[in-house]
Amino acid sequence: MKTNEALLATLRHQRDLLSDLVSELEEKGMLTVEDYAYCENCTDEVGKSLKDIRRFALDKMIQGAPWFQMASL
């Protein structure tokens, strides 16, 4: 259950980052070069985090599969 909570918390954080970005950009009439750079940085951060979440979820799914067995040392 803690895994689900962690995934949801991370996804909510990414949603909040994008929501803040959209709000900030909506308030501006004209976008500057700095605005585009900020947008690029924010979306890169969100994209990286979403890839990490996806990898983590896939790892958990594979570990939970009945045919997968951890190697014992």
Side-chain angles (χ1 to χ4, degrees), residues 3-52:
T3 300
N4 289 346
E5 292 170 8
L7 287 172
L8 289 173
T10 304
L11 288 170
R12 285 186 183 114
H13 178 69
Q14 301 315 305
R15 178 196 61 199
D16 294 343
L17 285 175
L18 289 174
S19 180
D20 291 345
L21 175 64
V22 168
S23 296
E24 286 181 36
L25 294 178
E26 285 177 339
E27 291 175 5
K28 298 183 178 242
M30 295 278 293
L31 298 179
T32 65
V33 173
E34 291 82 16
D35 294 328
Y36 288 110
Y38 173 68
C39 182
E40 184 72 21
N41 288 338
C42 186
T43 55
D44 283 348
E45 179 183 338
V46 169
K48 181 186 176 306
S49 182
L50 291 175
K51 286 179 186 176
D52 292 343

